[in-house]
Amino acid sequence: GQVFMESGGGSVQAGGSLTLSCVVSGYESRLCWGWSRQTPGKEREPVAIIWALNGTAEYTDSVKGRVTISQDNFKHTIYLQMNSLKPEDTAVYYCAADSSVNRCRARTYRHWGQGTQVTVSS
C-alpha cells in the first residue's frame, strides 16, 4: 500500500519560510500530486497541484507568488516551498495524489497523508 509521510512543518514568524516534504513509500505512479491545507472548522483548501508527467504546477490565488510545488521522481518526494508566510497560512498541510483527471482537476484526491502542522505567528 502507498503511504505519504509529510514533514517540514513547524512554527515560524510572519515573513519566514518553510519547505514541506512528502515522501511516498510503496510508490505508484499517479496523474497528479498536490498539497492542501485545513484549519479547524474550515473546509480543506487546495494549495498547489503538480501534474506528474510534465511537471506543470497550479496554485490557489492566496499563495501565488509565495509557494512552489515540485517533485523529485528519483526520491519519490513532493515538496512545497513556502516563502513570505502569513498568519493566514497557519494550517495542517496534507500531501495528496490521484490518478483521475476529474478528481485532480477538482482537487478531490483519493489518497492523502496524515499532515504536518504549520504555524505562522505575527
Side-chain angles (χ1 to χ4, degrees), residues 2 28-33 51 97-104 109-111:
Q2 190 171 52
E28 297 180 10
S29 181
R30 302 295 183 185
L31 180 62
C32 72
W33 307 88
W51 297 88
D98 211 288
S99 296
S100 163
V101 172
N102 289 338
R103 288 193 294 271
C104 284
Y109 314 100
R110 274 191 176 181
H111 311 283

Side-chain angles (χ1 to χ4, degrees), residues 12 57 77 98 119:
V12 298
T77 302
D98 211 288
T119 302

Side-chain angles (χ1 to χ4, degrees), residues 42-60:
K42 296 184 179 180
E43 295 289 328
R44 188 168 295 187
E45 176 190 23
V47 174
I49 185 172
I50 186 166
W51 297 88
L53 186 60
N54 59 18
T56 299
E58 301 170 20
Y59 305 93
T60 192

Side-chain angles (χ1 to χ4, degrees), residues 11-17 83-89 119-122:
S11 298
V12 298
Q13 293 184 328
S17 299
N83 303 311
S84 301
L85 284 164
K86 305 175 181 179
E88 300 82 65
D89 296 317
T119 302
V120 185
S121 60
S122 59

